Amino acid sequence: MTGLEVTRPETTGPALAAQTCAKRLAAFGVGDDAVACDISWFGPLSEVAARPGSEAVVQALSGLMAVHGRDDGRPRRLGLEAGSVATGLLAAQAVLAGEIGRHRGRPVARMETSVLQGTLMLLSHYLAAATAVGDVVPPWAGTAPGPPFQTSDGQWFEIEVFDAEAWKGFWLRLGAPSDELGRAWTAFRARYYRGTCRLSPGLHRASRAHTVAEAAAAAEAFGVSLCRVRSYPEVLDDPGRSAGDPSVTQMVGSPERPANQGQGRVPEAVTGLPLEGLRVVEATSRMQGPLAGLLCQMLGAEVVRVEPPGGDVGRMVPPFAGDVGSFFLCFNRGKHTVEIDLAGPGGRRELADLISGADVFLHNWRPGKAAEWGLDADDLAARHPGLVYVQASGWGGRDEDHRLIGTDFLLQAFTGAGNGLCPEDEPPVPTRVLLADFMGALVTCEGMLGGLYRREKRGRGGRVETSLLQGAMAVQAHVLDGLNASGQFGRRRHGRPVWGPLDRPIECPDGTLVVSADDDGAFRKLCELCGVATDGGPRDVVETRLVERLRASPAGKWEELLAQAGVPAAVASTDLSALHADFRFSPLFEPLAESCFAPAGPWALQQ
């Protein structure tokens, strides 16, 4: 299946990835004669390549269900097709990179990727942390869930705060017990790295004693960012709703030059990667910008990372891969690093000189900082008209930029992600998996490549604006587009997943089994193998009987039998530290340091 084929709307797997890829490429004017990208379920893995696949099976095999379910101590399925959509964006990046390479005399015949590889990329820092040394915080788990919190008027809200005193003041204003706040703060701050957060019940009692308006007033008083978990109707009615696409515009005052004359240098050593000879200067932090830069590097670009004197503080956040924090190394490996003090004019001139020799400049500074420093796109255009200038942000210039911190869980709440993630019998709450951060990074990489592609076609540099908001919307675009058209989409009602007993992970004596029997043929084969009559009553009744049979025997036994029969099934991976050593998946990993591993680049190139 190529990245440009679209026949009808699909809701999962390579078909959804191809549809997503084609839609995003169309926004850049990429035609049907472009480099093709083949998308499969499992990519180059000969041990599982012949198996039938599904989004749920890939979530299980990759460990995504395990991370999503850490708060509950068991694997949980994500209702959004995050792996399939991420793979579609990665395929679009591959095609854009291939086209850039072709225009610059580095042709690529075809590109390949898979839903499993896209899903593993989503788990990059969790997989690295699982094989690293140490832990983020001393082990401690409260007896109650972490955010979001519910109010007396039935609303859910997420909060973000970086200051311990602000955290304390907010919760004391709501009446939370003071003796619970210290350890709760430690667990709250570590949720980004650990993928889990258990808190004290007193915090939830405090939130449920107040209305959402009262909680918002307390947040404002102490400088805490609070965002209500919005519904899909609210998101659809928002006049400023993002479509999830990066904004790419021509650089102001940028003169034309003959097309097909790239700014990049011819490298001494040729590797055949399509972005070879291009240079990216990156001044970013956390995940969004660093991962975007890493993806460009994996496609052949040279990435120069700018850090403050003494280095990025993320280097010292455990667990460690060698002497560097695994989270930091996971997204910054292989980059060249320069330390520049941007607090003074001398440092800013040094950065401007560095940018003058680059093809792309990427930053995620707070709004207004680039203009204050004289490093905005217009400031650099006169000196470097071919520059692709990329600004990555949280809120994309919305009003929320001025009152809310732009971080993952707030963006999930604002974009209503919990509606697509959770079935109707569960609260529509965000996932602890960093969907907005990861998808925001993919959109940022896409924006960089889109800017370079347009430069090759039109001979002009450009300004690219991306955000976590766009990323959070991109992973839900197929659901929201379906709602706009009909109100129903696939196996969804009002955007919420409609799941029967068979759609959820099944606890067996030796592990957790995931089965996908959505089509009639697979369902009949499953019933036959389990000895359950297909005409034994309504579908949910038959599914309940099937689950009872499946629970009675080892998950590994069922996985083998069902796969041989053509029914998608898998035992959920729960030990992320062992995944890289599993002979079935080891080709998809690369070492960061001794005994520390992360997913390798998600593409294969055919010259």
Side-chain angles (χ1 to χ4, degrees):
M1 180 177 300
T2 68
L4 296 178
E5 289 180 357
V6 180
T7 53
R8 62 185 179 84
E10 297 286 353
T11 58
T12 187
L16 174 58
Q19 176 188 328
T20 301
C21 173
K23 179 180 177 183
R24 303 193 76 84
L25 290 174
F28 295 105
V30 178
D32 293 338
D33 61 342
V35 172
C37 185
D38 297 328
I39 306 171
S40 63
W41 278 114
F42 303 112
L45 301 181
S46 59
E47 294 296 329
V48 295
R51 285 187 176 189
S54 72
E55 170 77 25
V57 162
V58 171
Q59 287 187 18
L61 286 173
S62 65
L64 180 57
M65 285 191 183
V67 176
H68 180 52
R70 278 181 177 175
D71 279 357
D72 300 313
R74 56 183 175 80
R76 292 182 59 216
R77 179 179 175 181
L78 282 77
L80 286 170
E81 291 76 18
S84 300
V85 174
T87 304
L89 269 69
L90 289 167
Q93 293 167 18
V95 174
L96 285 168
E99 287 298 288
I100 294 165
R102 183 164 71 172
H103 279 281
R104 301 179 62 249
R106 290 166 177 78
V108 176
R110 299 183 75 84
M111 307 283 277
E112 298 176 1
T113 190
S114 69
V115 179
L116 178 59
Q117 288 168 286
T119 307
L120 286 173
M121 289 297 295
L122 173 60
L123 295 169
S124 293
H125 75 282
Y126 301 115
L127 291 162
T131 55
V133 178
D135 198 359
V136 179
V137 292
W140 175 82
T143 58
F149 304 96
Q150 193 173 29
T151 62
S152 61
D153 46 354
Q155 300 292 315
W156 292 88
F157 67 85
E158 281 276 356
I159 62 171
E160 185 60 274
V161 54
F162 295 153
D163 180 73
E165 289 302 312
W167 160 273
K168 180 179 178 181
F170 170 76
W171 283 112
L172 289 178
R173 172 70 64 89
L174 295 185
S178 60
D179 60 347
E180 297 183 4
L181 298 181
R183 291 191 300 175
W185 165 249
T186 303
F188 176 81
R189 293 296 298 132
R191 69 198 190 285
Y192 284 98
Y193 304 102
R194 303 190 76 196
T196 184
C197 181
R198 301 289 295 180
L199 298 177
S200 306
L203 276 64
H204 290 275
R205 288 196 297 268
S207 71
R208 287 193 294 266
H210 297 273
T211 65
V212 71
E214 292 168 339
E220 184 176 3
F222 290 95
V224 172
S225 291
L226 181 148
C227 184
R228 189 169 51 81
V229 176
R230 299 204 300 173
S231 67
Y232 269 166
E234 289 178 283
V235 174
L236 289 171
D237 289 342
D238 188 335
R241 178 168 69 93
S242 167
D245 301 320
S247 169
V248 181
T249 56
Q250 177 187 324
M251 193 77 84
V252 176
S254 175
E256 287 200 28
R257 59 172 173 77
N260 303 329
Q261 293 184 11
Q263 301 287 311
R265 296 146 302 284
V266 177
E268 295 181 3
V270 178
T271 65
L273 294 171
L275 299 188
E276 193 172 36
L278 296 176
R279 177 178 292 170
V280 176
V281 172
E282 169 200 315
T284 66
S285 59
R286 300 177 71 89
M287 181 194 294
Q288 178 189 20
L291 176 54
L294 177 67
L295 291 168
C296 282
Q297 178 180 275
M298 287 174 167
L299 288 163
E302 175 192 2
V303 180
V304 180
R305 177 172 172 78
V306 178
E307 297 184 19
D312 192 304
V313 295
R315 292 177 176 273
M316 300 310 297
V317 175
F320 289 98
D323 58 357
V324 181
S326 63
F327 184 97
F328 178 88
L329 187 59
C330 180
F331 299 123
N332 295 291
R333 62 192 190 267
K335 299 176 183 178
H336 303 289
T337 301
V338 296
E339 295 185 7
I340 300 177
D341 185 358
L342 297 177
R348 297 196 281 273
R349 285 193 298 270
E350 184 180 352
L351 177 57
D353 289 341
L354 184 63
I355 294 168
S356 69
D359 300 278
V360 177
F361 174 52
L362 164 65
H363 73 81
N364 63 350
W365 300 327
R366 64 173 175 79
K369 179 58 72 174
E372 177 186 331
W373 282 349
L375 293 169
D376 202 359
D378 294 344
D379 299 316
L380 300 171
R383 182 175 180 182
H384 191 351
L387 180 70
V388 175
Y389 183 100
V390 186
Q391 177 177 347
S393 68
W395 294 97
R398 288 182 59 111
D399 290 343
E400 286 75 15
D401 250 331
H402 304 291
R403 61 183 183 85
L404 297 178
I405 300 171
T407 52
D408 188 283
F409 302 123
L410 293 184
L411 268 301
Q412 284 196 51
F414 185 79
T415 59
N419 294 274
L421 285 164
C422 305
E424 292 179 303
D425 60 346
E426 298 178 10
V429 299
T431 175
R432 207 72 67 204
V433 177
L434 302 182
L435 284 184
D437 275 350
F438 177 76
M439 297 299 296
L442 294 192
V443 172
T444 299
C445 180
E446 178 187 301
M448 284 194 284
L449 295 173
L452 287 168
Y453 172 76
R454 288 190 175 179
R455 188 183 75 172
E456 295 301 324
K457 295 284 285 185
R458 302 178 183 180
R460 300 183 178 187
R463 179 179 189 134
V464 179
E465 297 181 45
T466 74
S467 65
L468 297 183
L469 176 62
Q470 292 168 342
M473 294 300 291
V475 75
Q476 306 175 81
H478 64 296
V479 176
L480 293 171
D481 289 348
L483 283 175
N484 279 337
S486 64
Q488 307 295 315
F489 186 60
R491 297 185 63 190
R492 294 181 180 274
R493 184 180 298 118
H494 308 301
R496 306 290 300 275
V498 178
W499 287 345
L502 203 59
D503 295 304
R504 304 169 193 263
I506 302 165
E507 298 300 324
C508 297
D510 64 334
T512 303
L513 178 69
V514 172
V515 179
S516 296
D518 297 332
D519 65 82
D520 292 339
F523 189 71
R524 285 194 297 270
K525 289 178 182 177
L526 178 61
C527 289
E528 181 181 344
L529 285 170
C530 292
V532 173
T534 57
D535 58 353
R539 170 90 180 208
D540 60 337
V541 173
V542 176
E543 286 194 11
T544 298
R545 293 173 183 160
L546 286 169
V547 170
E548 290 173 354
R549 294 290 177 89
L550 293 169
R551 280 178 177 162
S553 297
K557 168 192 168 184
W558 284 119
E559 179 183 36
E560 183 177 352
L561 287 174
L562 293 173
Q564 291 175 353
V567 179
V571 178
S573 300
T574 55
D575 183 2
L576 269 61
S577 67
L579 207 58
H580 75 279
D582 188 321
F583 72 95
R584 298 175 300 170
F585 308 122
S586 57
L588 303 184
F589 287 83
E590 66 177 85
L592 300 184
E594 185 177 357
S595 302
C596 184
F597 293 81
W603 308 281
L605 285 68
Q606 299 178 12
Q607 299 296 331

